Amino acid sequence: AILDVWLFVATEHKPHDNGGFVGFSWDRLKDNWEPSFTGDNSFPTTLSILFPGVTGLMSGVCLSGELRNGAKAIPRGIGYAWTMSLITYVAMAVVIAGAFERERLQVGYRAMQFASHIYVFLPGEMCSAFAAVLAGLVGSSRVIKAMAKDDLIPIKAFRALNNMSNEKSILVVWAIIQLILFLGDQYELASMFASHGFLANFLALNVATLLTSATSLPSFRPVYNFFSAVTALCGSIACVVVMFTMSPLTAAIVISLMLAMLFLSDAYIEGDKVSWGDASQPLVFYLVRKWLLRLDERKEHIKHWRPSVIQIVGDPLCSLNLMHLANNLKKGGLYELAVVVKGSFADTADASFQ
């Protein structure tokens, strides 16, 4: 359908009065290149409406579990998709701006229909819309099933999604979308919240990779050559800037919800029941290790002294009172508890781990 529009604009020079098509002209492209917002429209509202159109680049991440080699396929696929999307969007904007009158573009949303052969453009448009919706349904159902598996929302009906098949979970997401559609024509409001939701997702992804890279975890070995902690930091800052550019109030609400969910998940979700790691633990370890290495024995002073206790016990259960006493004596110092187990390692391994 896109190629049909390009070929039509390149070969057709007869104006169409009903659609505003007057043929491609470089002078018209120059006139239409400058922005001219009307009514309540502005750059932030236009950005919030157009931004969901480029969020499909992350669809492959939602299906990473089904890829043979996700570590290589995901960055390569996102790179190819981003490059093709950028070229396509820029080329289409140039073609439409050079072939249509500005007044018709401001009030009409079917410009490409009048610059194409309808029997070619309409099937292509329907296939494109179907593929985009299907990718969104499949990706959303995978995310919801993962949330139900980790028991992130303590609701019985939500937990039941974990036992559903992929097809049934897709139907559930489709039913939720239909209920939202009954709210009426709220495309601008929905686009605003959808854009901020995607940006919040990208922000969390960038922050997670930033913390993982900064703490030098050996399990994190990105194969993408251009990745670094600096790129992750730049991505995080860019997400926040775009969110507040679209709508400062909505951005503040979304970031507040993110922080509330972070604190609630840390307080109520048990780490041993989920398969994903807590990013705060390696960060705490990294900071503690870093500051411990900064201790300098040459700068010690008697007024800064505090006791550090090493206690050796035979049976911890029989030495609770002594352990409480030693713990109170340390006064902010280090308290180390050691248990002596006699015998060979093979004979005492079970008792040592207990």
Side-chain angles (χ1 to χ4, degrees), residues 4-69:
D4 180 59
V5 173
W6 292 348
L7 292 175
F8 186 92
V9 173
T11 57
E12 182 69 27
H13 301 285
K14 182 179 179 181
H16 293 184
D17 296 334
N18 58 341
F21 177 80
V22 292
F24 186 85
S25 171
W26 292 106
D27 294 334
R28 188 172 297 104
L29 173 62
K30 183 179 180 180
D31 295 336
N32 290 337
W33 192 255
E34 297 296 329
S36 177
F37 300 104
T38 59
D40 297 333
N41 296 323
S42 60
F43 176 76
T45 56
T46 305
L47 179 62
S48 65
I49 293 175
L50 295 178
F51 187 80
V54 298
T55 55
L57 301 177
M58 297 295 290
S59 298
V61 178
C62 299
L63 304 176
S64 59
E66 301 180 9
L67 299 175
R68 180 179 300 177
N69 191 352

Short mmCIF file of all heavy atoms in Angstrom, two decimals, residues 4-69:
data_model
loop_
_atom_site.label_atom_id
_atom_site.label_comp_id
_atom_site.label_asym_id
_atom_site.label_seq_id
_atom_site.Cartn_x
_atom_site.Cartn_y
_atom_site.Cartn_z
N ASP A 4 2.33 1.74 -3.36
CA ASP A 4 1.30 2.21 -4.28
C ASP A 4 1.10 3.72 -4.15
O ASP A 4 0.92 4.42 -5.16
CB ASP A 4 -0.01 1.48 -4.00
CG ASP A 4 -1.12 1.92 -4.92
OD1 ASP A 4 -0.98 1.78 -6.15
OD2 ASP A 4 -2.14 2.44 -4.41
N VAL A 5 1.17 4.24 -2.92
CA VAL A 5 1.05 5.69 -2.72
C VAL A 5 2.22 6.41 -3.37
O VAL A 5 2.04 7.43 -4.07
CB VAL A 5 0.97 6.02 -1.22
CG1 VAL A 5 1.02 7.52 -0.99
CG2 VAL A 5 -0.29 5.43 -0.61
N TRP A 6 3.41 5.91 -3.17
CA TRP A 6 4.59 6.55 -3.76
C TRP A 6 4.52 6.54 -5.29
O TRP A 6 4.83 7.55 -5.93
CB TRP A 6 5.85 5.84 -3.28
CG TRP A 6 6.12 6.03 -1.82
CD1 TRP A 6 5.52 6.93 -0.99
CD2 TRP A 6 7.05 5.31 -1.02
NE1 TRP A 6 6.01 6.80 0.29
CE2 TRP A 6 6.96 5.82 0.31
CE3 TRP A 6 7.95 4.28 -1.27
CZ2 TRP A 6 7.73 5.34 1.36
CZ3 TRP A 6 8.72 3.80 -0.22
CH2 TRP A 6 8.62 4.33 1.07
N LEU A 7 4.13 5.40 -5.87
CA LEU A 7 4.04 5.32 -7.33
C LEU A 7 2.93 6.22 -7.86
O LEU A 7 3.08 6.84 -8.93
CB LEU A 7 3.79 3.87 -7.74
CG LEU A 7 4.95 2.89 -7.50
CD1 LEU A 7 4.53 1.47 -7.84
CD2 LEU A 7 6.17 3.29 -8.32
N PHE A 8 1.81 6.30 -7.14
CA PHE A 8 0.70 7.14 -7.58
C PHE A 8 1.11 8.61 -7.59
O PHE A 8 0.84 9.35 -8.55
CB PHE A 8 -0.50 6.93 -6.65
CG PHE A 8 -1.74 7.64 -7.11
CD1 PHE A 8 -2.66 7.00 -7.91
CD2 PHE A 8 -2.00 8.96 -6.73
CE1 PHE A 8 -3.81 7.64 -8.35
CE2 PHE A 8 -3.13 9.61 -7.15
CZ PHE A 8 -4.05 8.96 -7.96
N VAL A 9 1.79 9.06 -6.52
CA VAL A 9 2.22 10.45 -6.44
C VAL A 9 3.26 10.76 -7.52
O VAL A 9 3.28 11.86 -8.10
CB VAL A 9 2.77 10.76 -5.04
CG1 VAL A 9 3.38 12.16 -4.98
CG2 VAL A 9 1.66 10.63 -4.00
N ALA A 10 4.12 9.78 -7.82
CA ALA A 10 5.17 10.00 -8.80
C ALA A 10 4.64 10.04 -10.23
O ALA A 10 5.24 10.70 -11.10
CB ALA A 10 6.23 8.91 -8.69
N THR A 11 3.52 9.38 -10.49
CA THR A 11 3.01 9.27 -11.87
C THR A 11 1.76 10.09 -12.12
O THR A 11 1.47 10.42 -13.27
CB THR A 11 2.72 7.80 -12.21
OG1 THR A 11 1.78 7.27 -11.26
CG2 THR A 11 4.00 6.98 -12.15
N GLU A 12 1.02 10.42 -11.07
CA GLU A 12 -0.25 11.14 -11.24
C GLU A 12 -0.05 12.62 -10.94
O GLU A 12 0.46 12.99 -9.88
CB GLU A 12 -1.32 10.57 -10.30
CG GLU A 12 -2.68 11.22 -10.44
CD GLU A 12 -3.35 10.87 -11.76
OE1 GLU A 12 -3.05 9.79 -12.32
OE2 GLU A 12 -4.16 11.68 -12.24
N HIS A 13 -0.47 13.47 -11.85
CA HIS A 13 -0.33 14.91 -11.67
C HIS A 13 -1.67 15.63 -11.81
O HIS A 13 -1.71 16.86 -11.77
CB HIS A 13 0.65 15.49 -12.70
CG HIS A 13 2.01 14.86 -12.62
ND1 HIS A 13 2.92 15.15 -11.61
CD2 HIS A 13 2.63 13.93 -13.41
CE1 HIS A 13 4.03 14.45 -11.79
NE2 HIS A 13 3.88 13.71 -12.88
N LYS A 14 -2.76 14.89 -11.94
CA LYS A 14 -4.08 15.48 -12.06
C LYS A 14 -4.66 15.72 -10.68
O LYS A 14 -4.75 14.81 -9.87
CB LYS A 14 -4.99 14.55 -12.86
CG LYS A 14 -6.38 15.12 -13.08
CD LYS A 14 -7.22 14.15 -13.90
CE LYS A 14 -8.62 14.71 -14.11
NZ LYS A 14 -9.46 13.76 -14.89
N PRO A 15 -5.09 16.96 -10.37
CA PRO A 15 -5.62 17.25 -9.03
C PRO A 15 -6.92 16.50 -8.77
O PRO A 15 -7.73 16.27 -9.68
CB PRO A 15 -5.84 18.77 -9.05
CG PRO A 15 -5.00 19.27 -10.18
CD PRO A 15 -4.98 18.17 -11.20
N HIS A 16 -7.14 16.14 -7.48
CA HIS A 16 -8.38 15.54 -7.02
C HIS A 16 -9.01 16.52 -6.04
O HIS A 16 -8.55 16.67 -4.91
CB HIS A 16 -8.12 14.19 -6.33
CG HIS A 16 -7.61 13.14 -7.26
ND1 HIS A 16 -7.38 11.85 -6.87
CD2 HIS A 16 -7.29 13.20 -8.59
CE1 HIS A 16 -6.93 11.16 -7.90
NE2 HIS A 16 -6.87 11.95 -8.96
N ASP A 17 -10.09 17.16 -6.46
CA ASP A 17 -10.68 18.20 -5.63
C ASP A 17 -11.26 17.66 -4.33
O ASP A 17 -11.25 18.35 -3.31
CB ASP A 17 -11.78 18.93 -6.43
CG ASP A 17 -11.19 19.66 -7.63
OD1 ASP A 17 -9.99 20.01 -7.58
OD2 ASP A 17 -11.92 19.87 -8.61
N ASN A 18 -11.79 16.45 -4.35
CA ASN A 18 -12.46 15.95 -3.14
C ASN A 18 -11.48 15.55 -2.05
O ASN A 18 -11.85 15.51 -0.88
CB ASN A 18 -13.33 14.75 -3.50
CG ASN A 18 -12.52 13.63 -4.14
OD1 ASN A 18 -11.42 13.87 -4.64
ND2 ASN A 18 -13.08 12.42 -4.13
N GLY A 19 -10.23 15.29 -2.36
CA GLY A 19 -9.29 14.85 -1.34
C GLY A 19 -8.15 15.80 -1.10
O GLY A 19 -7.35 15.60 -0.19
N GLY A 20 -8.04 16.86 -1.90
CA GLY A 20 -6.96 17.82 -1.72
C GLY A 20 -5.68 17.44 -2.41
O GLY A 20 -4.66 18.13 -2.27
N PHE A 21 -5.68 16.36 -3.21
CA PHE A 21 -4.48 15.96 -3.93
C PHE A 21 -4.30 16.84 -5.15
O PHE A 21 -5.20 16.97 -5.98
CB PHE A 21 -4.59 14.49 -4.35
CG PHE A 21 -3.42 14.02 -5.17
CD1 PHE A 21 -2.23 13.66 -4.57
CD2 PHE A 21 -3.51 13.94 -6.56
CE1 PHE A 21 -1.15 13.24 -5.32
CE2 PHE A 21 -2.45 13.51 -7.32
CZ PHE A 21 -1.26 13.15 -6.70
N VAL A 22 -3.13 17.48 -5.25
CA VAL A 22 -2.87 18.39 -6.37
C VAL A 22 -1.59 18.03 -7.10
O VAL A 22 -1.14 18.79 -7.97
CB VAL A 22 -2.79 19.85 -5.87
CG1 VAL A 22 -4.14 20.34 -5.38
CG2 VAL A 22 -1.74 19.98 -4.76
N GLY A 23 -0.97 16.90 -6.78
CA GLY A 23 0.26 16.52 -7.43
C GLY A 23 1.48 17.00 -6.65
O GLY A 23 1.44 18.02 -5.96
N PHE A 24 2.56 16.24 -6.77
CA PHE A 24 3.74 16.56 -5.99
C PHE A 24 4.44 17.80 -6.54
O PHE A 24 4.59 17.97 -7.75
CB PHE A 24 4.71 15.39 -5.99
CG PHE A 24 5.89 15.58 -5.09
CD1 PHE A 24 5.80 15.28 -3.74
CD2 PHE A 24 7.09 16.08 -5.59
CE1 PHE A 24 6.89 15.48 -2.90
CE2 PHE A 24 8.18 16.27 -4.76
CZ PHE A 24 8.09 15.97 -3.41
N SER A 25 4.87 18.66 -5.61
CA SER A 25 5.59 19.88 -5.98
C SER A 25 6.56 20.22 -4.85
O SER A 25 6.20 20.18 -3.67
CB SER A 25 4.61 21.04 -6.19
OG SER A 25 5.32 22.25 -6.35
N TRP A 26 7.80 20.57 -5.23
CA TRP A 26 8.79 20.94 -4.22
C TRP A 26 8.43 22.25 -3.54
O TRP A 26 8.72 22.44 -2.35
CB TRP A 26 10.17 21.04 -4.86
CG TRP A 26 10.72 19.72 -5.31
CD1 TRP A 26 10.81 19.26 -6.58
CD2 TRP A 26 11.22 18.68 -4.46
NE1 TRP A 26 11.35 17.98 -6.61
CE2 TRP A 26 11.62 17.61 -5.30
CE3 TRP A 26 11.37 18.55 -3.08
CZ2 TRP A 26 12.14 16.44 -4.81
CZ3 TRP A 26 11.90 17.37 -2.58
CH2 TRP A 26 12.29 16.33 -3.44
N ASP A 27 7.79 23.17 -4.28
CA ASP A 27 7.36 24.42 -3.66
C ASP A 27 6.28 24.16 -2.61
O ASP A 27 6.28 24.79 -1.53
CB ASP A 27 6.82 25.37 -4.73
CG ASP A 27 7.92 25.83 -5.68
OD1 ASP A 27 9.10 25.83 -5.25
OD2 ASP A 27 7.59 26.14 -6.84
N ARG A 28 5.35 23.24 -2.89
CA ARG A 28 4.31 22.91 -1.91
C ARG A 28 4.91 22.20 -0.70
O ARG A 28 4.48 22.43 0.44
CB ARG A 28 3.25 22.04 -2.56
CG ARG A 28 2.03 21.79 -1.68
CD ARG A 28 0.93 21.09 -2.44
NE ARG A 28 0.46 21.94 -3.53
CZ ARG A 28 0.78 21.75 -4.80
NH1 ARG A 28 1.60 20.75 -5.14
NH2 ARG A 28 0.35 22.55 -5.74
N LEU A 29 5.91 21.36 -0.93
CA LEU A 29 6.59 20.71 0.19
C LEU A 29 7.26 21.74 1.08
O LEU A 29 7.21 21.63 2.32
CB LEU A 29 7.63 19.73 -0.35
CG LEU A 29 8.54 19.08 0.70
CD1 LEU A 29 7.73 18.24 1.69
CD2 LEU A 29 9.61 18.21 0.02
N LYS A 30 7.85 22.77 0.48
CA LYS A 30 8.49 23.82 1.27
C LYS A 30 7.46 24.60 2.07
O LYS A 30 7.70 24.98 3.23
CB LYS A 30 9.27 24.74 0.33
CG LYS A 30 10.04 25.83 1.05
CD LYS A 30 10.81 26.70 0.06
CE LYS A 30 11.58 27.80 0.79
NZ LYS A 30 12.34 28.66 -0.17
N ASP A 31 6.28 24.85 1.47
CA ASP A 31 5.23 25.60 2.17
C ASP A 31 4.63 24.78 3.32
O ASP A 31 4.29 25.34 4.38
CB ASP A 31 4.13 26.01 1.20
CG ASP A 31 4.64 26.99 0.14
OD1 ASP A 31 5.64 27.68 0.42
OD2 ASP A 31 4.04 27.05 -0.95
N ASN A 32 4.49 23.48 3.12
CA ASN A 32 3.88 22.63 4.14
C ASN A 32 4.88 22.14 5.19
O ASN A 32 4.46 21.47 6.15
CB ASN A 32 3.21 21.42 3.49
CG ASN A 32 1.98 21.80 2.70
OD1 ASN A 32 1.37 22.84 2.94
ND2 ASN A 32 1.61 20.95 1.74
N TRP A 33 6.14 22.41 4.99
CA TRP A 33 7.15 21.86 5.91
C TRP A 33 7.08 22.51 7.30
O TRP A 33 7.33 21.86 8.31
CB TRP A 33 8.54 22.04 5.30
CG TRP A 33 9.60 21.26 6.02
CD1 TRP A 33 10.54 21.75 6.87
CD2 TRP A 33 9.79 19.86 5.95
NE1 TRP A 33 11.32 20.72 7.34
CE2 TRP A 33 10.88 19.54 6.78
CE3 TRP A 33 9.14 18.82 5.26
CZ2 TRP A 33 11.34 18.24 6.96
CZ3 TRP A 33 9.60 17.53 5.43
CH2 TRP A 33 10.69 17.25 6.26
N GLU A 34 6.76 23.80 7.33
CA GLU A 34 6.66 24.50 8.60
C GLU A 34 5.39 24.09 9.33
O GLU A 34 4.34 23.90 8.72
CB GLU A 34 6.68 26.01 8.38
CG GLU A 34 7.96 26.53 7.77
CD GLU A 34 9.16 26.32 8.68
OE1 GLU A 34 8.97 26.33 9.92
OE2 GLU A 34 10.28 26.14 8.16
N PRO A 35 5.42 23.98 10.66
CA PRO A 35 4.22 23.58 11.42
C PRO A 35 3.19 24.69 11.44
O PRO A 35 3.52 25.88 11.41
CB PRO A 35 4.77 23.30 12.82
CG PRO A 35 6.01 24.13 12.93
CD PRO A 35 6.60 24.15 11.55
N SER A 36 1.93 24.29 11.50
CA SER A 36 0.81 25.25 11.60
C SER A 36 -0.32 24.55 12.34
O SER A 36 -1.23 23.98 11.72
CB SER A 36 0.37 25.71 10.21
OG SER A 36 -0.74 26.57 10.29
N PHE A 37 -0.29 24.62 13.67
CA PHE A 37 -1.29 23.95 14.48
C PHE A 37 -2.56 24.79 14.56
O PHE A 37 -2.51 26.03 14.58
CB PHE A 37 -0.75 23.69 15.89
CG PHE A 37 0.47 22.81 15.91
CD1 PHE A 37 1.73 23.35 16.13
CD2 PHE A 37 0.36 21.45 15.70
CE1 PHE A 37 2.85 22.54 16.16
CE2 PHE A 37 1.47 20.63 15.71
CZ PHE A 37 2.72 21.18 15.94
N THR A 38 -3.70 24.11 14.62
CA THR A 38 -4.99 24.79 14.69
C THR A 38 -5.75 24.29 15.90
O THR A 38 -5.58 23.15 16.35
CB THR A 38 -5.81 24.51 13.42
OG1 THR A 38 -6.00 23.10 13.27
CG2 THR A 38 -5.11 25.06 12.18
N GLY A 39 -6.62 25.16 16.42
CA GLY A 39 -7.47 24.77 17.54
C GLY A 39 -6.66 24.44 18.78
O GLY A 39 -5.74 25.16 19.18
N ASP A 40 -7.02 23.33 19.42
CA ASP A 40 -6.33 22.88 20.63
C ASP A 40 -5.10 22.03 20.33
O ASP A 40 -4.45 21.55 21.26
CB ASP A 40 -7.29 22.08 21.52
CG ASP A 40 -8.45 22.93 22.01
OD1 ASP A 40 -8.26 24.16 22.12
OD2 ASP A 40 -9.55 22.37 22.26
N ASN A 41 -4.81 21.84 19.06
CA ASN A 41 -3.66 21.02 18.70
C ASN A 41 -2.36 21.77 18.96
O ASN A 41 -2.28 22.99 18.82
CB ASN A 41 -3.73 20.62 17.22
CG ASN A 41 -4.92 19.74 16.92
OD1 ASN A 41 -5.29 18.90 17.73
ND2 ASN A 41 -5.55 19.95 15.78
N SER A 42 -1.34 21.02 19.35
CA SER A 42 -0.01 21.57 19.60
C SER A 42 1.01 20.46 19.38
O SER A 42 0.64 19.31 19.09
CB SER A 42 0.10 22.13 21.02
OG SER A 42 -0.13 21.11 21.98
N PHE A 43 2.26 20.81 19.51
CA PHE A 43 3.29 19.79 19.33
C PHE A 43 3.19 18.67 20.36
O PHE A 43 3.29 17.49 19.99
CB PHE A 43 4.68 20.45 19.39
CG PHE A 43 5.81 19.45 19.32
CD1 PHE A 43 6.16 18.85 18.12
CD2 PHE A 43 6.50 19.10 20.47
CE1 PHE A 43 7.19 17.93 18.05
CE2 PHE A 43 7.54 18.18 20.42
CZ PHE A 43 7.88 17.59 19.21
N PRO A 44 2.98 18.94 21.66
CA PRO A 44 2.86 17.83 22.63
C PRO A 44 1.69 16.89 22.33
O PRO A 44 1.84 15.67 22.42
CB PRO A 44 2.68 18.56 23.97
CG PRO A 44 3.33 19.88 23.77
CD PRO A 44 3.04 20.24 22.36
N THR A 45 0.50 17.45 21.98
CA THR A 45 -0.64 16.58 21.68
C THR A 45 -0.40 15.77 20.41
O THR A 45 -0.77 14.59 20.33
CB THR A 45 -1.91 17.42 21.54
OG1 THR A 45 -1.71 18.42 20.53
CG2 THR A 45 -2.25 18.10 22.85
N THR A 46 0.21 16.39 19.41
CA THR A 46 0.51 15.65 18.18
C THR A 46 1.52 14.55 18.43
O THR A 46 1.38 13.43 17.91
CB THR A 46 1.06 16.62 17.11
OG1 THR A 46 0.13 17.69 16.91
CG2 THR A 46 1.29 15.90 15.80
N LEU A 47 2.52 14.83 19.26
CA LEU A 47 3.51 13.81 19.61
C LEU A 47 2.88 12.65 20.35
O LEU A 47 3.20 11.48 20.11
CB LEU A 47 4.62 14.44 20.44
CG LEU A 47 5.74 13.51 20.91
CD1 LEU A 47 6.48 12.91 19.72
CD2 LEU A 47 6.72 14.25 21.81
N SER A 48 1.96 12.95 21.28
CA SER A 48 1.31 11.88 22.04
C SER A 48 0.43 11.00 21.15
O SER A 48 0.26 9.81 21.45
CB SER A 48 0.47 12.48 23.16
OG SER A 48 -0.60 13.25 22.64
N ILE A 49 -0.12 11.56 20.07
CA ILE A 49 -0.96 10.76 19.17
C ILE A 49 -0.10 9.92 18.24
O ILE A 49 -0.42 8.76 17.95
CB ILE A 49 -1.88 11.70 18.36
CG1 ILE A 49 -2.90 12.36 19.30
CG2 ILE A 49 -2.60 10.93 17.26
CD1 ILE A 49 -3.79 13.38 18.62
N LEU A 50 1.02 10.48 17.77
CA LEU A 50 1.87 9.76 16.82
C LEU A 50 2.80 8.76 17.50
O LEU A 50 3.23 7.78 16.87
CB LEU A 50 2.70 10.75 16.00
CG LEU A 50 1.93 11.69 15.08
CD1 LEU A 50 2.89 12.65 14.38
CD2 LEU A 50 1.13 10.90 14.04
N PHE A 51 3.12 8.98 18.78
CA PHE A 51 4.12 8.13 19.44
C PHE A 51 3.71 6.66 19.50
O PHE A 51 4.58 5.78 19.30
CB PHE A 51 4.40 8.66 20.85
CG PHE A 51 5.53 7.95 21.54
CD1 PHE A 51 6.84 8.28 21.26
CD2 PHE A 51 5.28 6.93 22.45
CE1 PHE A 51 7.89 7.63 21.88
CE2 PHE A 51 6.31 6.27 23.07
CZ PHE A 51 7.62 6.61 22.79
N PRO A 52 2.44 6.30 19.78
CA PRO A 52 2.10 4.86 19.79
C PRO A 52 2.37 4.15 18.48
O PRO A 52 2.48 2.93 18.45
CB PRO A 52 0.60 4.86 20.13
CG PRO A 52 0.39 6.12 20.88
CD PRO A 52 1.31 7.12 20.25
N GLY A 53 2.50 4.92 17.38
CA GLY A 53 2.76 4.29 16.09
C GLY A 53 4.15 3.70 15.97
O GLY A 53 4.41 2.91 15.05
N VAL A 54 5.08 4.09 16.85
CA VAL A 54 6.45 3.56 16.78
C VAL A 54 6.78 2.64 17.96
O VAL A 54 7.92 2.23 18.12
CB VAL A 54 7.47 4.72 16.74
CG1 VAL A 54 7.27 5.57 15.50
CG2 VAL A 54 7.37 5.59 17.99
N THR A 55 5.78 2.34 18.77
CA THR A 55 6.04 1.47 19.93
C THR A 55 6.02 0.00 19.57
O THR A 55 6.37 -0.84 20.41
CB THR A 55 4.99 1.73 21.02
OG1 THR A 55 3.67 1.56 20.46
CG2 THR A 55 5.11 3.15 21.56
N GLY A 56 5.62 -0.33 18.35
CA GLY A 56 5.64 -1.73 17.94
C GLY A 56 7.03 -2.31 17.82
O GLY A 56 7.19 -3.52 17.65
N LEU A 57 8.07 -1.44 17.94
CA LEU A 57 9.44 -1.94 17.87
C LEU A 57 9.75 -2.89 19.02
O LEU A 57 10.67 -3.72 18.92
CB LEU A 57 10.42 -0.76 17.91
CG LEU A 57 10.27 0.28 16.79
CD1 LEU A 57 11.25 1.42 17.01
CD2 LEU A 57 10.50 -0.35 15.43
N MET A 58 9.01 -2.78 20.13
CA MET A 58 9.27 -3.62 21.29
C MET A 58 8.45 -4.91 21.28
O MET A 58 8.48 -5.66 22.26
CB MET A 58 8.97 -2.83 22.56
CG MET A 58 9.84 -1.61 22.76
SD MET A 58 11.57 -2.02 23.00
CE MET A 58 11.48 -2.78 24.63
N SER A 59 7.71 -5.17 20.21
CA SER A 59 6.89 -6.37 20.17
C SER A 59 7.73 -7.64 20.25
O SER A 59 7.32 -8.63 20.85
CB SER A 59 6.04 -6.39 18.89
OG SER A 59 5.17 -5.29 18.86
N GLY A 60 8.91 -7.60 19.65
CA GLY A 60 9.77 -8.78 19.70
C GLY A 60 10.25 -9.11 21.09
O GLY A 60 10.51 -10.27 21.42
N VAL A 61 10.37 -8.09 21.96
CA VAL A 61 10.81 -8.34 23.33
C VAL A 61 9.77 -9.16 24.08
O VAL A 61 10.11 -10.03 24.89
CB VAL A 61 11.10 -7.00 24.04
CG1 VAL A 61 11.51 -7.23 25.48
CG2 VAL A 61 12.17 -6.23 23.29
N CYS A 62 8.49 -8.88 23.84
CA CYS A 62 7.42 -9.64 24.50
C CYS A 62 7.41 -11.10 24.07
O CYS A 62 6.87 -11.95 24.78
CB CYS A 62 6.07 -9.00 24.21
SG CYS A 62 5.92 -7.29 24.80
N LEU A 63 7.99 -11.40 22.92
CA LEU A 63 8.03 -12.78 22.41
C LEU A 63 9.43 -13.36 22.50
O LEU A 63 9.75 -14.30 21.79
CB LEU A 63 7.54 -12.81 20.95
CG LEU A 63 6.16 -12.23 20.68
CD1 LEU A 63 5.86 -12.24 19.19
CD2 LEU A 63 5.09 -13.00 21.43
N SER A 64 10.25 -12.82 23.39
CA SER A 64 11.65 -13.26 23.47
C SER A 64 11.76 -14.72 23.86
O SER A 64 12.71 -15.40 23.49
CB SER A 64 12.41 -12.39 24.47
OG SER A 64 11.81 -12.46 25.75
N GLY A 65 10.79 -15.22 24.64
CA GLY A 65 10.85 -16.61 25.07
C GLY A 65 10.64 -17.59 23.94
O GLY A 65 10.97 -18.78 24.07
N GLU A 66 10.10 -17.14 22.81
CA GLU A 66 9.85 -18.02 21.68
C GLU A 66 10.91 -17.92 20.60
O GLU A 66 10.80 -18.57 19.56
CB GLU A 66 8.47 -17.70 21.08
CG GLU A 66 7.33 -17.85 22.10
CD GLU A 66 5.99 -17.52 21.49
OE1 GLU A 66 5.94 -17.34 20.26
OE2 GLU A 66 5.00 -17.45 22.23
N LEU A 67 11.93 -17.08 20.83
CA LEU A 67 13.00 -16.93 19.85
C LEU A 67 14.11 -17.94 20.12
O LEU A 67 14.39 -18.28 21.27
CB LEU A 67 13.57 -15.51 19.90
CG LEU A 67 12.59 -14.38 19.58
CD1 LEU A 67 13.25 -13.04 19.78
CD2 LEU A 67 12.07 -14.51 18.16
N ARG A 68 14.75 -18.40 19.06
CA ARG A 68 15.82 -19.38 19.21
C ARG A 68 17.05 -18.76 19.87
O ARG A 68 17.67 -19.38 20.75
CB ARG A 68 16.19 -19.95 17.84
CG ARG A 68 17.30 -20.99 17.88
CD ARG A 68 17.60 -21.53 16.50
NE ARG A 68 16.42 -22.15 15.92
CZ ARG A 68 16.37 -22.65 14.68
NH1 ARG A 68 17.45 -22.58 13.90
NH2 ARG A 68 15.27 -23.21 14.22
N ASN A 69 17.40 -17.56 19.46
CA ASN A 69 18.56 -16.86 20.03
C ASN A 69 18.15 -15.41 20.26
O ASN A 69 18.46 -14.53 19.47
CB ASN A 69 19.77 -16.96 19.11
CG ASN A 69 21.05 -16.48 19.77
OD1 ASN A 69 21.03 -15.94 20.87
ND2 ASN A 69 22.17 -16.69 19.10
#
